[in-house]
Amino acid sequence: MSGDTLAVACFGQPGSYSDQAMQSYFAGRAAAASYCDHFEDVTAAVAEGRARYGVVPIENSSTGGITEVYDLIRRYDCAVVGEKCIRIEHHLLGLPGARLEDIRTVYSHPQGFAQSGDFFRAHPGWEKVPYFSTSKSAEKVAADGRKDEAAVAGRLAADLYGLSVLAPSIQTNRRNFTRFFIIAPSMETDETADKITLIIAVHHTPGALYHVLGYFFYGGMNMTHLESRPMDGHPFEYFFHIDVMGRLDDPSNAHTLSGLASMCPYFRILGNYASDKGGVL
Amino acid sequence: MSGDTLAVACFGQPGSYSDQAMQSYFAGRAAAASYCDHFEDVTAAVAEGRARYGVVPIENSSTGGITEVYDLIRRYDCAVVGEKCIRIEHHLLGLPGARLEDIRTVYSHPQGFAQSGDFFRAHPGWEKVPYFSTSKSAEKVAADGRKDEAAVAGRLAADLYGLSVLAPSIQTNRRNFTRFFIIAPSMETDETADKITLIIAVHHTPGALYHVLGYFFYGGMNMTHLESRPMDGHPFEYFFHIDVMGRLDDPSNAHTLSGLASMCPYFRILGNYASDKGGVL
């Protein structure tokens, strides 16, 4: 990598959790971010060469896989070159001087509501309005200037948009993490890589997935995640997005994967990159 | 079952795809529906005895599992007593006399937008507003009475709310089905049952899921669906929601399931019911 500035397409806005993941992943490298309102803007920017890298959330430890992103990565043929885990801490943000009892309407990304279910069940009278992202919700509340509006977002967004924390740490689960993928047009790997992400389809026969997992088990490759995604146009058939620990240049792992590839009607390795625990353990 | 009217909690509104699933499943039985804006209202009504049955979407053949419903069924300890597959056909609906070029704002459930992606990519200037359900979006457009508003919904909703079809069959995929679960407070099974839905967790050891699937493979129980859901408070550990073909009163199936139960830290059978192909095949 040269000293040139890296063009990075980042989901969300300045101050978002994605922004935090990007800043953390590219710390110490000269990266120029363009922020995108939609997941598809990120995958398109990467696939069409307008960005060198993209940053998208792929999985939350409370609400699960972000299925739209799985489908976009597959559809735009992106590679995965890294991951970053970020601890999510949601706050209810409002105008300075606003009180909790002033609030009538709350904006957030749907995941912000889903991850703060207990808090909102205690405030059934509020209208919950789904919005583009947590940080964009904070920006809207600041721009609207109404004391009856609030946003669910992180502290970085509060600082950036000059909002007050009306209720801190409202997420239901204290141990709430989001995992982000760093995507690129093609694979990049180095000596730190210890995790492989791949997508397969299996033949429509009994035990097909069982035999797939047997390759990993007998090959000593520990599977850390399995996500089934529908195969559009083939009702109730599935792609499987799989993460396993391993290295493509390890002869044993390579043997396992080539055996697996021979039995799958669809087999694609998305990347081999350094895993990130992000303080989860 | 007596001749009494069945209280059924149905997701969505009159005219929704869920309503269609309910009417189709309970055809010929006296069912009184209460319609619910939120998935959780359905699971709560069933769990708290206010409804004898509930109807909720669980999986779409284009966009995948409806993960919030999986989590609610587990959290509210509901049983699954049946399933119904419905073909989804979305139309763009507007006021009578409105033309496509009048439209500025479109309301729909997020899945309605997700399933009609190609159509909306061809109309990038429209504001897409997420709303409670497809049918409620149609009701809103009818109530607002504005020619620049449209809704993505089915023909049943067009008829019910007096809207015109501005663009027919806008869903990206012609073969688009949604599978609905019929839920109840406890299991009900009869001689037509041929499908079992269960939830398991596995020990955090390499090959754990592989060995689970081995029980089904060697026990001759064909797995039709596998959905991983996060275990809240245990970052990046998972519940697996599994559908397999079989009967609880079949001695071989019972043997397979009791062997499986003995190795799982969490094991719960949600139901054994008659599978529905709904014209998929």
Side-chain angles (χ1 to χ4, degrees), chain A residues 59 62 173 226 228 232-233 238, chain B residues 59 62 173 226 228 232-233 238:
Chain A
E59 184 188 2
S62 295
N173 198 309
L226 172 72
S228 62
D232 215 5
Y238 304 93
Chain B
E59 184 188 2
S62 295
N173 197 309
L226 172 71
S228 62
D232 215 4
Y238 304 93

Side-chain angles (χ1 to χ4, degrees), chain B:
Chain B
M1 212 61 56
S2 75
D4 292 350
T5 298
L6 295 170
V8 180
C10 183
F11 174 70
Q13 295 236 124
S16 65
Y17 299 108
S18 302
D19 189 22
Q20 200 181 323
M22 184 198 68
Q23 292 188 20
S24 170
Y25 185 84
F26 289 102
R29 298 168 71 179
S34 58
Y35 295 91
C36 303
D37 284 343
H38 303 283
F39 296 137
E40 187 163 4
D41 298 339
V42 179
T43 52
V46 167
E48 293 158 11
R50 284 177 281 116
R52 181 75 189 79
Y53 295 108
V55 178
V56 279
I58 191 70
E59 184 188 2
N60 176 270
S61 65
S62 295
T63 55
I66 298 165
T67 55
E68 186 187 348
V69 177
Y70 277 100
D71 296 347
L72 287 167
I73 287 175
R74 192 177 61 248
R75 192 142 61 80
Y76 279 90
D77 211 12
C78 296
V80 177
V81 301
E83 70 173 4
K84 192 79 208 170
C85 287
I86 294 288
R87 183 187 283 265
I88 301 298
E89 198 160 21
H90 294 311
H91 310 293
L92 189 77
L93 307 181
L95 291 186
R99 296 158 312 166
L100 213 50
E101 51 269 36
D102 297 328
I103 300 308
R104 294 286 170 274
T105 307
V106 182
Y107 295 89
S108 184
H109 189 274
Q111 293 256 358
F113 292 127
Q115 292 162 13
S116 310
D118 286 352
F119 178 78
F120 283 102
R121 268 186 289 279
H123 296 93
W126 293 350
E127 189 189 6
K128 290 181 289 178
V129 181
Y131 211 61
F132 299 104
S133 68
T134 52
S135 50
K136 204 153 185 176
S137 302
E139 185 188 32
K140 179 179 170 56
V141 168
D144 287 355
R146 294 172 51 131
K147 285 198 172 174
D148 61 349
E149 291 186 357
V152 177
R155 194 170 291 268
L156 200 56
D159 295 345
L160 202 62
Y161 298 110
L163 297 178
S164 295
V165 175
L166 307 185
S169 293
I170 61 171
Q171 75 276 8
T172 303
N173 197 309
R174 304 289 121 179
R175 287 170 56 66
N176 183 5
F177 296 85
T178 294
R179 181 178 165 225
F180 293 84
F181 269 169
I182 319 302
I183 60 173
S186 56
M187 283 187 7
E188 296 175 12
T189 189
D190 65 19
E191 70 286 348
T192 66
D194 62 351
K195 197 176 202 178
I196 296 167
T197 291
L198 69 164
I199 306 174
I200 60 163
V202 299
H203 289 292
H204 208 46
T205 53
L209 183 62
Y210 169 65
H211 293 304
V212 164
L213 301 193
Y215 278 87
F216 295 129
F217 178 66
Y218 293 113
M221 297 175 78
N222 190 23
M223 185 173 73
T224 59
H225 188 64
L226 172 71
E227 187 91 24
S228 62
R229 295 299 306 143
M231 202 180 282
D232 215 4
H234 298 267
F236 307 114
E237 297 184 36
Y238 304 93
F239 288 109
F240 296 99
H241 291 241
I242 293 172
D243 298 323
V244 287
M245 301 309 289
R247 290 181 57 85
L248 295 178
D249 63 3
D250 173 296
S252 165
N253 292 171
H255 179 76
T256 297
L257 292 170
S258 78
L260 177 59
S262 70
M263 68 167 285
C264 292
Y266 182 96
F267 179 93
R268 190 156 79 83
I269 293 173
L270 296 191
N272 188 189
Y273 52 90
S275 63
D276 176 53
K277 297 287 188 297
V280 174
L281 299 178

